[in-house]
Amino acid sequence: MNKRWDIFCKIVDNFGDIGVCWRLARQLQAEHGLQVRLWIDDLIVAKQLIPTLDISLPRQVTQNISIDHWHADTVFSGDADVVIEAFSCGLPAAYLSKMRPNTVWINLEYLSAETWVDSFHAGNSKQGDLTRHFFFPGFTPATGGLLREHDIITNNQQLASRKPLQHQFLNQLNLEHSDRLKISLFCYPHAPVHALLNAMASANQPIDCYVPASSILPIIAGFFGKDSIVAGEVLRHQNLNLYVLPFLSQADYDKLLAICDVNFVRGEDSWIRAIWAGKPFIWQPYLQSEETHITKLKAFLALFYDSFDNTSRQSSYDVHLAWVGNDISTEIWQHYLNNLAPLKALTLQQSNTLVAQADLATKLVIFSEKIIKNIVKNKV
Ligand code: TRH
């Protein structure tokens, strides 16, 4: 049995690398009964997502996952059956030298909705005695799927439909209850944040905007004419009430997305969480050279919104392209808000279509089993 899995996570930038690896590790352990060891190169950043982590320890077990600090002098045993190299992070030479030809080596790629992903998923290349397999997450059945815990949809639906649960969550964050439109905001600092806040303030309905602490806080402070802001502050301007939240646990961030009416998300992991929340969302892709992120955005817009009616599709395209551009006008934002009811229904419909597909962790386990069988077959 391929029970022992190693996951290698190099933290390049932000929280997406560790966010995805930590979520995957927990799901493989909890839902597939695997022994998972997560190798992390930067425990300090990881601690933001895994608060129980003791950064002084080279090895520890938390939530049934063995977490090992991966550094230049790490000594490896190479006893795993399956090795996940997250986002082409490069397995260390000392580890590669311990791997056996039948060790299943899988490179977990970045998520993209581009059509070429279907044909590149599940390819491989020889590296000496070893074979490196390429696993592409994606939105179609021909890809590796999307990370989704078995209970996330039920949890989100319960929270979205039950006011007492929502009040309990808001109370826990020291937030007031209101019937105002709720919006969460998580984005990169190069987004036109001032323009968005301005559009929210002058929109024709009151808005509660929740901002978990991130690198955009100085920009928000500037909008309100302040030098700095911290979690707990409430800032008001015209129709906009803005609540600064602490950086939440992944579980609480899911809850925030589930109770909001619109979610601004970014990168990779929060993007998928917004889809499972089933609410209209605006995705900001991770900035890449040669406008690659715009290509990725357009591929996703085509995949997700092309079945929408003309008005909803147009307002979704407009708001996304404005958000990745340098400006988001009051008109574009108001048009989006005017279409929220159909956008809500259509987004939920698309989310349900994706939920009907197998999730990434399950597909990864099946993929690893198929590789093992082929290896065995080739030997016979
Ligand atoms: O942090 P990101 O920008 O990560 C990015 C992307 O993954 C990108 O593709 C990759 O190339 C780059 O990293 C290196 O955005 P992302 O992917 O949404 O990850 C954020 C994580 O933080 C996600 O797991 C959700 C979590 N999160 C919380 O746990 N609490 C919070 O309050 C917030 C706002 C986020």
Side-chain angles (χ1 to χ4, degrees):
M1 271 298 270
N2 54 339
K3 281 255 173 207
R4 291 162 306 176
W5 287 46
D6 274 0
I7 302 176
F8 278 83
C9 175
K10 190 176 275 180
I11 296 176
V12 180
D13 195 10
N14 304 318
F15 306 115
D17 307 292
I18 185 63
V20 168
C21 291
W22 177 232
R23 200 181 288 290
L24 174 64
R26 280 177 298 158
Q27 208 188 332
L28 288 171
Q29 192 282 323
E31 297 182 20
H32 298 275
L34 302 170
Q35 289 169 32
V36 184
R37 182 165 47 184
L38 179 55
W39 297 92
I40 306 175
D41 69 335
D42 187 339
L43 295 181
I44 296 171
V45 175
K47 192 169 167 62
Q48 274 221 248
L49 274 277
I50 316 169
T52 49
L53 213 55
D54 181 341
I55 58 166
S56 67
L57 296 178
R59 172 166 295 175
Q60 59 203 290
V61 176
T62 184
Q63 295 182 43
N64 296 323
I65 308 296
S66 171
I67 298 190
D68 286 42
H69 187 200
W70 167 23
H71 52 83
D73 303 321
T74 305
V75 177
F76 298 101
S77 57
D79 54 0
D81 303 303
V82 180
V83 182
I84 305 295
E85 177 189 350
F87 310 123
S88 304
C89 65
L91 295 184
Y95 189 89
L96 281 168
S97 67
K98 294 273 172 63
M99 280 165 62
R100 295 161 273 116
N102 65 349
T103 307
V104 177
W105 174 12
I106 301 172
N107 187 46
L108 174 65
E109 303 282 346
Y110 284 112
L111 173 64
S112 172
E114 291 162 285
T115 49
W116 57 262
V117 170
D118 285 16
S119 46
F120 277 68
H121 173 60
N124 66 60
S125 82
K126 278 275 172 202
Q127 311 239 333
D129 283 351
L130 305 173
T131 309
R132 188 171 179 231
H133 299 267
F134 302 99
F135 188 95
F136 284 82
F139 298 86
T140 69
T143 67
L146 301 169
L147 262 180
R148 189 185 71 244
E149 299 85 351
H150 75 284
D151 54 359
I152 185 66
I153 302 296
T154 315
N155 291 346
N156 283 346
Q157 284 171 352
Q158 277 182 356
L159 192 53
S161 61
R162 292 197 201 162
K163 285 266 179 227
L165 290 180
Q166 291 172 23
H167 291 175
Q168 201 182 338
F169 176 63
L170 290 168
N171 285 345
Q172 180 199 320
L173 295 175
N174 291 322
L175 295 170
E176 59 194 47
H177 316 155
S178 86
D179 289 328
R180 295 185 284 265
L181 195 74
K182 294 182 176 52
I183 297 182
S184 78
L185 177 58
F186 180 45
C187 65
Y188 297 112
H190 56 269
V193 175
H194 273 213
L196 176 70
L197 298 182
N198 199 38
M200 286 181 180
S202 47
N204 68 3
Q205 65 190 111
I207 286 173
D208 282 350
C209 178
Y210 302 112
V211 185
S214 75
S215 53
I216 62 166
L217 291 197
I219 301 168
I220 291 179
F223 178 83
F224 287 96
K226 301 184 108 198
D227 291 336
S228 63
I229 48 174
V230 291
E233 286 191 55
V234 183
L235 305 149
R236 300 186 204 273
H237 179 54
Q238 298 174 350
N239 257 340
L240 169 65
N241 306 289
L242 186 142
Y243 302 83
V244 187
L245 309 185
F247 187 82
L248 303 172
S249 67
Q250 278 187 323
D252 280 349
Y253 183 58
D254 277 334
K255 290 182 185 169
L256 181 69
L257 298 178
I259 67 158
C260 282
D261 301 292
V262 179
N263 294 304
F264 281 81
V265 289
R266 72 182 203 189
E268 180 152 337
D269 196 48
S270 55
W271 176 25
I272 302 314
R273 309 317 285 177
I275 295 177
W276 304 144
K279 301 292 185 63
F281 62 91
I282 293 133
W283 172 53
Q284 183 189 21
Y286 184 75
L287 191 66
Q288 287 179 284
S289 59
E290 296 170 6
E291 303 271 287
T292 307
H293 60 293
I294 303 292
T295 307
K296 287 188 173 170
L297 174 63
K298 288 186 175 164
F300 177 67
L301 291 175
L303 179 133
F304 201 84
Y305 295 100
D306 271 10
S307 61
F308 283 35
D309 64 70
N310 284 345
T311 316
S312 305
R313 182 175 59 242
Q314 193 58 49
S315 61
S316 301
Y317 269 70
D318 288 348
V319 86
H320 274 93
L321 294 172
W323 189 231
V324 293
N326 290 324
D327 198 11
I328 183 161
S329 67
T330 307
E331 292 71 34
I332 285 182
W333 177 241
Q334 187 63 60
H335 189 236
Y336 186 78
L337 291 187
N338 293 346
N339 281 300
L340 263 192
L343 281 168
K344 189 176 173 188
L346 293 161
T347 303
L348 189 59
Q349 199 174 304
Q350 284 294 62
S351 167
N352 288 339
T353 305
L354 291 168
V355 170
Q357 296 181 25
D359 68 274
L360 185 145
T362 302
K363 284 192 150 193
L364 202 49
V365 171
I366 294 169
F367 184 59
S368 72
E369 282 164 1
K370 280 189 181 159
I371 294 169
I372 301 225
K373 280 185 193 138
N374 278 338
I375 289 170
V376 172
K377 217 188 296 165
N378 291 344
K379 273 187 178 167
V380 175

